[in-house]
Amino acid sequence: MTASCIFCRIVTRESAAEIEYEDEEVLAFKDIYPKAPVHLLIIPKRHIESLAVLEADDAALLGKCLFVARKLGEAHGVAQRGYRVNCHSGPEGGQVVYHLHFHFLAGRRGS
Ligand code: 5GP
Ligand code: ZN
């Protein structure tokens, strides 16, 4: 938990978010500025800044995040039509929030 991190604050409910999925290790909630009809963020609850500082032991946790993407695709009825999962890393990767997250985008072609 990093007090200044907006996504850590969502995990602890100090900041509000529309949460769609939660388990012990992973949280998924709506992006506040959606860029597609369905735009969710999937995060590990544990604060990891970005892919650039990922440790080997973190790999399974990111696999769980991707498995949550599968569940969200099914829950939103887009498993067959498809969806996009993005992860931005670092300034030139377009990362703005430095708590690792996957964007889940669906609902239009090329989401
Ligand atoms: P990235 O760091 O991958 O560029 O994107 C960060 C994403 O987090 C953006 O799509 C932005 O709209 C979203 N975001 C930033 N602050 C908040 C917030 O306080 N709540 C929610 N739900 N989303 C946020
Ligand atoms: Zn954080």
Side-chain angles (χ1 to χ4, degrees):
M1 162 73 187
T2 300
S4 59
C5 170
I6 181 61
F7 288 177
C8 282
R9 293 174 65 84
I10 287 172
V11 170
T12 59
R13 308 300 205 270
E14 291 168 78
S15 295
E18 289 188 64
I19 293 170
E20 292 220 354
Y21 176 87
E22 179 168 28
D23 64 30
E24 302 77 32
E25 293 175 300
V26 179
L27 190 71
F29 52 91
K30 287 185 181 165
D31 194 294
I32 202 166
Y33 299 120
K35 291 155 198 82
V38 179
H39 187 175
L40 307 172
L41 300 172
I42 306 168
I43 69 168
K45 287 184 170 179
R46 183 157 56 77
H47 184 88
I48 301 169
E49 273 193 14
S50 76
L51 285 181
V53 298
L54 199 67
E55 304 279 357
D57 285 350
D58 299 329
L61 180 55
L62 295 205
K64 288 182 181 172
C65 290
L66 293 176
F67 193 66
V68 170
R70 175 194 170 159
K71 292 184 203 233
L72 292 170
E74 289 169 357
H76 282 269
V78 294
Q80 297 307 315
R81 288 165 58 203
Y83 44 83
R84 182 186 298 229
V85 177
N86 291 335
C87 184
H88 302 158
S89 186
E92 293 194 4
Q95 187 173 7
V96 175
V97 177
Y98 279 78
H99 179 133
L100 197 146
H101 53 280
F102 292 98
H103 295 258
F104 177 97
L105 299 139
R108 68 175 176 220
R109 184 159 287 276
S111 287

